Amino acid sequence: MNLHVIPTALPEVLILEPKVFGDDRGFFMESFNAKAFEEATGVQRTFVQDNHSRSACGVLRGLHYQVKYPQGKLVRVVVGAVFDVAVDIRRGSPNFGRWVGVELSAENKRQLWIPEGFAHGFLVTSEYAEFLYKTTDYWHKDYERTLAWNDPDLKITWPNLPQIMLSEKDRCAPTLINAEVFN
């Protein structure tokens, strides 16, 4: 697997571009290869769960994380497009409270590696999107937390859409200053 790694403003968060082989019949790509992932990124992880969601335009999911059993996530979009965001929520980190946002789409086939210790969310910018992600730990409802997507201290520059649709838990999420995060 030829995997091109693009650094982001947060050194631990990486954009991955797999090699895509295409012709007039379509395309082929290896979406994940553990050995190639480790060689390209220097990150050695075991993924234990795959998730798949479909959301309409304007749906914002996040910013989610787990305080115990934190999850690293390798995310990608297979239909449509999203604006994907990772926020460093490790209190001792020099980048605490900083965020990075990347467009992920079926067209660009980019993936984003978001390590443990980061909150994650995305906003659907196409008519709808199908979002896939691998996680390094299982989902644990009791330890799931949500951070306010519109926290004024984070100043995330989300795409300007006519309507944002949120779940109840995302609508009521605390700001970073009031959230339970990693020490």
Side-chain angles (χ1 to χ4, degrees), residues 129-183:
E130 291 196 25
F131 192 85
L132 302 178
Y133 55 107
K134 303 176 103 37
T135 64
T136 60
D137 208 331
Y138 300 101
W139 178 67
H140 295 272
K141 181 179 180 177
D142 292 343
Y143 301 108
E144 181 183 43
R145 301 293 184 269
T146 303
L147 186 62
W149 68 279
N150 59 350
D151 182 333
D153 291 331
L154 294 178
K155 298 181 179 87
I156 296 173
T157 309
W158 295 97
N160 189 15
L161 295 177
Q163 180 181 359
I164 301 287
M165 292 179 276
L166 301 163
S167 69
E168 184 61 27
K169 83 174 172 189
D170 291 346
R171 191 177 0 271
C172 299
T175 58
L176 183 60
I177 198 165
N178 297 310
E180 181 182 4
V181 295
F182 303 97
N183 290 320

Side-chain angles (χ1 to χ4, degrees), residues 1 30-35 37 45 47 74 111 134:
M1 174 181 189
E30 231 178 39
S31 60
F32 181 74
N33 176 307
K35 184 178 178 183
F37 177 78
R45 296 291 195 285
F47 292 96
L74 181 61
Q111 300 177 24
K134 303 176 103 37

